[in-house]
């Protein structure tokens, strides 16, 4: 039976409890009743005018939890599919120590952490224009982003017409010759018939370097890196070294059985390629004509000999296969050679056998260029039946990219100022094209030659190229920007302080 006093206070007690066992103080009971009365009298309508309490309880409807990704919704992270991104995000925000000590990083597979959405900020795109400072290195909600906040730059404008045109009578229309080269001392060498002429780009002065005579002819030209000496490959298979300043022949070297159509210098060694399919390496410091012979561009003569005894056809095949492209890498360690056996070979200075044999081209490989911006990056171009420019990683022999240019690829050259390259073409469009790497976006297409653009050379500053064709003209084009020069330092003079500036 409940006590009348307890029933009066409005307390409901279990049957097993009595008023004596409860032992409630009258003052405490009245205080509790007053508190209960105050709480029961409060309502949502009166909360607007309520007094301050000892703690803040935020309102969910005004907390903008959607901006921080805290609203419960299906997401890859709740299924354990975005753990790598969460760890990377925490590492960027709190450091690697936080990630390594975080319990979520060491939780068993299949158990999602309750804190995966903390600080997972998402930009609110619903209102107003975004601030220019809003993008962060962590990107948006969908993962890391490499997109720049600024709009893409407009494509660089390349003049469509040459700024200079020179007449070059007797410039041969032969795909397998290399008759134009520009020295580091700003002197252009051109082979015209049996003669070599030097044109100074600084004062436009023309000098006749040599005349090989009626029984010989110029097949290739190549300046040394210093620009003082020039090598000349002849129709008789010789390689001549001339002093470009004194117009004096220094040395003549033999070794090839027929015409020497391509030359390539590194710091000390001159490589020469010929129609005899051989590559000879010459060293000016020794008396021998050549120090090594590289044989790799093999023709089908041996196989044909087994099934045919026609001497005329055999001789024709022998003449068809030869070396037509040579280029040293920027570090002088590797030599790339191309032939009209459709092969691209890569050699190093330690072996007499090619370290790479690339056979994807389906036509002669004359156009070869090493990138000055990335080691082991080689570009090559194929002839009329191929028309493709291919990019190779010579460290493993993998083809990185390929693009069909639409025409016979005659020459390739990388810009040393920007990561772009220029190609010249023959059949059937006779155009000059500038490409951006690695996107291979076309920067410009230049036309003007009426015949195949067989010759290409670049100025020492890397801004201008000169092209030559069988239309007997040399055209100068401004295709590349200048290199970004460092801020100039004011020179106080040699005699003012008694010392020179080193930076």
């Amino acid at each position: 039976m409940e006590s009348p006093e307890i029933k009066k206070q409005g307390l409901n007690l279990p049957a097993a409890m009595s008023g004596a066992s409860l032992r409630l103080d009258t003052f405490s009971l009245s205080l509790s009743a007053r508190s209960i009365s105050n709480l029961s009298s409060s309502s949502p309508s009166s909360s607007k005018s309520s007094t301050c309490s000892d703690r803040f309880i935020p309102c969910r409807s005004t907390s903008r939890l959607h901006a921080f990704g805290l609203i419960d919704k299906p997401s890859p992270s709740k299924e354990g599919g975005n753990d790598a991104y969460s760890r990377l995000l925490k590492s960027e925000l709190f450091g690697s120590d936080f990630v390594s000590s975080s319990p979520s990083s060491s939780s068993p597979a299949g158990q999602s952490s309750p804190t995966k959405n903390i600080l997972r900020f998402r930009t609110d795109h619903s209102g107003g224009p975004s601030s220019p400072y809003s993008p962060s290195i962590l990107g948006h909600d969908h993962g890391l982003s490499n997109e720049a906040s600024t709009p893409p730059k407009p494509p660089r404008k390349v003049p469509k017409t040459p700024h200079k045109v020179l007449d070059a009578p007797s410039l041969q229309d032969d795909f397998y010759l290399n008759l134009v080269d520009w020295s580091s001392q700003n002197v252009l060498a051109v082979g015209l018939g049996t003669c070599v002429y030097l044109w100074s780009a600084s004062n436009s002065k023309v000098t006749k370097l040599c005349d090989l005579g009626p029984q010989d002819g110029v097949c290739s030209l190549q300046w040394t890196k210093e620009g003082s000496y020039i090598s000349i490959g002849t129709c008789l298979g010789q390689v001549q070294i001339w002093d470009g300043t004194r117009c004096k022949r220094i040395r003549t070297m033999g070794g090839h059985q027929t015409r020497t159509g391509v030359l390539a210098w590194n710091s000390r060694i001159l490589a020469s390629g010929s129609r005899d399919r051989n590559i000879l390496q010459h060293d000016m410091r020794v008396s021998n004509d050549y120090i090594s012979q590289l044989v790799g561009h093999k023709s089908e003569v041996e196989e044909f000999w087994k099934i045919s005894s026609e001497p005329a056809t055999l001789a024709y095949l022998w003449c068809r296969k030869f070396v037509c492209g040579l280029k040293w890498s920027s570090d002088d360690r590797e030599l790339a050679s191309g032939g009209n056996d459709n092969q691209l070979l890569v050699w190093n200075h330690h072996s007499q056998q090619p370290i790479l044999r690339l056979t994807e081209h389906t036509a002669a490989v004359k156009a070869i260029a090493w990138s000055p911006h990335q080691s082991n990056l080689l570009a090559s171009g194929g002839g009329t039946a191929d028309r493709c420019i291919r990019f190779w990683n010579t460290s493993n022999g993998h083809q990185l990219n390929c693009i069909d240019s639409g025409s016979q690829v005659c020459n390739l050259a990388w810009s040393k100022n920007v990561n772009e390259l220029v190609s010249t073409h023959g059949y059937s469009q006779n155009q000059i094209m500038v490409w951006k790497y690695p996107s291979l976006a076309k920067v410009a297409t230049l036309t003007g030659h009426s015949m195949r653009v067989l010759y290409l050379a670049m100025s020492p500053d890397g801004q201008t190229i000169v092209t030559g064709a069988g239309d007997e003209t040399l055209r100068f084009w401004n295709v590349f920007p200048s290199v970004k020069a460092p801020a100039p330092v004011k020179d106080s003079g040699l005699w003012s302080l008694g010392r020179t500036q080193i930076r």
Side-chain angles (χ1 to χ4, degrees), residues 50-266:
S50 61
T51 59
C52 298
S53 63
D54 59 343
R55 61 194 179 105
F56 172 71
I57 302 177
C59 179
R60 183 180 180 91
S61 61
T62 60
S63 295
R64 295 180 61 203
L65 298 180
H66 64 280
F68 294 88
L70 294 176
I71 296 178
D72 293 334
K73 61 180 181 180
S75 64
S77 62
K78 291 196 173 185
E79 299 173 2
N82 211 11
D83 294 337
Y85 170 77
S86 300
R87 289 195 297 270
L88 178 60
L89 180 62
K90 293 175 184 178
S91 175
E92 291 291 339
L93 292 175
F94 307 113
S96 58
D97 295 338
F98 177 84
V99 177
S100 60
S101 61
S102 175
S104 62
S105 62
S106 60
S107 59
Q111 298 181 5
S112 61
S113 172
T115 61
K116 280 189 175 182
N117 283 331
I118 291 180
L119 295 178
R120 190 164 177 250
F121 183 74
R122 180 180 60 192
T123 304
D124 188 2
H125 299 283
S126 59
S130 60
S131 168
Y133 305 101
S134 59
S136 69
I137 60 172
L138 297 178
H140 296 298
D141 183 60
H142 51 72
L144 298 178
S145 174
N146 292 327
E147 296 180 359
S149 60
T150 58
K153 294 182 179 180
R156 178 168 51 85
K157 293 184 178 180
V158 177
K160 297 295 185 179
T161 57
H163 66 86
K164 184 187 293 291
V165 180
L166 299 179
D167 289 328
S170 302
L171 186 61
Q172 298 187 54
D173 182 30
D174 192 329
F175 179 78
Y176 298 106
L177 301 185
N178 294 272
L179 299 177
V180 178
D181 196 31
W182 206 329
S183 77
S184 59
Q185 296 187 10
N186 211 16
V187 177
L188 183 69
V190 184
L192 302 177
T194 63
C195 301
V196 176
Y197 292 90
L198 306 180
W199 179 79
S200 174
S202 57
N203 55 22
S204 298
K205 179 182 178 181
V206 179
T207 303
K208 184 178 180 179
L209 177 67
C210 66
D211 188 342
L212 301 182
Q215 305 300 323
D216 207 347
V218 181
C219 294
S220 55
L221 299 171
Q222 182 74 42
W223 287 98
T224 59
K225 289 188 175 182
E226 296 77 12
S228 302
Y229 299 95
I230 185 172
S231 57
I232 302 174
T234 73
C235 291
L236 298 180
Q238 294 180 340
V239 177
Q240 299 182 5
I241 309 298
W242 287 73
D243 186 331
T245 305
R246 298 183 298 166
C247 296
K248 180 180 179 180
R249 185 170 60 184
I250 304 299
R251 186 172 177 181
T252 300
M253 297 172 290
H256 289 297
Q257 301 175 9
T258 182
R259 75 178 192 179
T260 306
V262 60
L263 300 167
W265 280 97
N266 68 8

Side-chain angles (χ1 to χ4, degrees), residues 28 52 54 124 127-128 156 161 165 193 255 287 367 371 389 393-394 412 416 428 443 446 449 464 480 488:
S28 300
C52 298
D54 59 343
D124 188 2
R156 178 168 51 85
T161 57
V165 180
S287 59
S371 170
I389 302 174
N393 181 355
T394 59
L412 289 172
K416 62 182 182 180
S428 59
V443 179
L446 310 175
H449 286 287
T464 304
F480 295 123

